[in-house]
Amino acid sequence: MPAKRSPARRPTMKDIAQRAGVSESAVSFALNDRPGVSDLTRARVRRVAEQLGWRPSTAARALSGEGAATVGLVLARPADSLGVDSFFLQLISGIQEVLAERHLGLLFQVVEDVHAECAVYQRWWAEHRVDGVLVVDPRTDDPRPGLLDELGLPAAVIGGVPDARHPGLSTVWADDAGAMASVVDRLYALGHRRIVHIAGLPGLAHTERRIRTLRAEAERRGLAEVRSVPTDYSDAQGAAVTRRVLESGLPPTALVYDNDVMAVAGVAAATELGFRVPGDVSVVSWEDSALCRMVKPWLSALSRDTAEFGRTAAQELTALLDGGPARTVQVPVPRLIERDSTGPCGN
């Protein structure tokens, strides 16, 4: 059997002191940018530290009150719905791009519900695990902003709306109401009067905004056969709800799905039932992705730069960590890209 290899030893301040020919206290002063050493010594110590590959310990930084060099992201959604959700993959890629520039780590955790999420924040705060957090999926009755205010933990809320009760939190949001109105307007122009919105998780602020807007647009036009059906965002529920509404006595002529995964599953379910897309039923996906262009017909979709959404949120959080003021930033309204899955109403 080959001998077990010993783990590589991390360079220490003692190693830097020996190589630079100074005391350990001088190394500490130089690396922490504190007075007590000359500019020449400071430069020599930092050069040696770079040569040895030395990096500060995040645990030591936390204990000294200097921060953990890490931000947190907790996701309270069904774990089995995340593997195929392109939105969060793109969002996190944008977040990570900004954090990497700042040499900040991302601590990510999936939990069962928002109460478990609050418990994670309390634990991270007590253990000095993170310097701030990115909050996703704002709720209509959300306990998280109040808790984060109480803890004094910097946070950027992704997808929320301005909230005067929590002025210390930054918010990055998109106009879901405006996007839904544009979809209804286009479907109405195509002659559709029976529209079903296959929505995401109930209780999420953006889900409720979309549902309210659909209802308001239907009332404004006098449309009685328009409704929303909440789901868990999964392909299974997307397909199941599609079958249920299409097998009803008066099936819809247009379906609007809250993500691309449900839209693709819905097209498959409609086809199995003998419905032609878009001949019998038009389909719109809320999120655009490569998946929308890998099925027949290609799916009409609401498109936005999700990675830029993530970058903006991360930039707002790092600005808070730098001592800047909390801000509310609105990203561009998602725009409808029409492809082969929408057409004039034939019923």
Side-chain angles (χ1 to χ4, degrees):
M1 295 290 290
K4 185 177 180 181
R5 296 178 60 184
S6 299
R9 190 176 75 86
R10 297 181 179 88
T12 65
M13 285 191 177
K14 183 176 181 180
D15 297 325
I16 298 170
Q18 291 175 344
R19 176 76 68 88
V22 298
S23 66
E24 288 185 52
S25 59
V27 171
S28 178
F29 291 151
L31 294 178
N32 290 297
D33 203 22
R34 292 173 180 163
V37 294
S38 67
D39 291 342
L40 185 63
T41 298
R42 193 184 309 278
R44 182 167 76 253
V45 167
R46 289 182 174 178
R47 184 170 61 252
V48 170
E50 184 67 27
Q51 291 170 351
L52 293 176
W54 178 86
R55 294 292 182 271
S57 162
T58 55
R61 285 169 58 90
L63 287 172
S64 66
E66 295 180 14
T70 302
V71 301
L73 172 61
V74 185
L75 197 55
R77 280 199 184 188
D80 57 1
S81 71
L82 299 179
V84 291
D85 194 327
S86 62
F87 173 81
F88 277 106
L89 294 176
Q90 294 177 54
L91 185 76
I92 291 173
S93 72
I95 291 170
Q96 185 57 37
E97 186 177 328
V98 173
L99 298 185
E101 293 173 354
R102 296 285 299 265
H103 303 291
L104 293 171
L106 178 65
L107 184 56
F108 179 66
Q109 189 164 340
V110 179
V111 296
E112 293 182 359
D113 54 39
V114 72
H115 300 294
E117 183 176 342
C118 288
V120 170
Y121 293 147
Q122 290 173 314
R123 185 173 71 252
W124 282 352
W125 172 80
E127 296 174 354
H128 303 275
R129 295 289 298 277
V130 297
D131 299 322
V133 295
L134 293 156
V135 181
V136 297
D137 289 341
R139 267 66 175 175
T140 51
D141 185 16
D142 203 328
R144 296 171 298 172
L147 172 64
L148 294 169
D149 262 351
E150 180 183 329
L151 296 176
L153 194 58
V157 180
I158 302 173
V161 293
D163 188 344
R165 296 173 300 171
H166 307 289
L169 306 184
S170 284
T171 302
V172 180
W173 69 291
D175 185 5
D176 292 287
M180 176 61 86
S182 72
V183 171
V184 176
D185 187 62
R186 181 56 184 153
L187 291 174
Y188 185 84
L190 289 170
H192 295 280
R193 302 296 183 265
R194 301 195 302 275
I195 304 170
V196 171
H197 168 215
I198 299 180
L201 289 166
L204 297 186
H206 65 263
T207 301
E208 299 302 324
R209 286 198 299 271
R210 296 172 191 179
I211 290 173
R212 285 196 306 269
T213 303
L214 178 66
R215 186 183 303 123
E217 291 295 315
E219 290 176 356
R220 186 166 68 87
R221 293 178 170 86
L223 304 179
E225 300 297 328
V226 174
R227 59 193 174 103
S228 298
V229 183
T231 70
D232 66 356
Y233 283 111
S234 71
D235 57 331
Q237 286 203 12
V241 172
T242 300
R243 294 189 191 97
R244 188 165 74 243
V245 299
L246 290 179
E247 290 178 324
S248 63
L250 194 62
T253 64
L255 297 168
V256 181
Y257 294 85
D258 260 5
N259 70 11
D260 52 348
V261 174
M262 292 197 298
V264 170
V267 168
T271 302
E272 289 172 3
L273 293 174
F275 285 79
R276 295 169 300 137
V277 178
D280 300 314
V281 61
S282 286
V283 169
V284 176
S285 167
W286 196 275
E287 297 295 340
D288 192 18
S289 71
L291 197 58
C292 295
R293 302 180 296 279
M294 294 172 66
V295 294
K296 294 291 185 179
W298 283 16
L299 300 184
S300 298
L302 280 161
S303 178
R304 59 178 163 187
D305 190 341
T306 306
E308 180 60 26
F309 203 0
R311 284 190 288 270
T312 301
Q315 288 164 353
E316 290 306 311
L317 179 58
T318 55
L320 286 177
L321 299 182
D322 290 338
R327 302 198 315 156
T328 295
V329 178
Q330 183 178 355
V331 298
V333 179
R335 60 188 180 90
L336 179 62
I337 296 179
E338 290 193 68
R339 299 192 180 102
D340 300 333
S341 67
T342 51
C345 178
N347 299 313

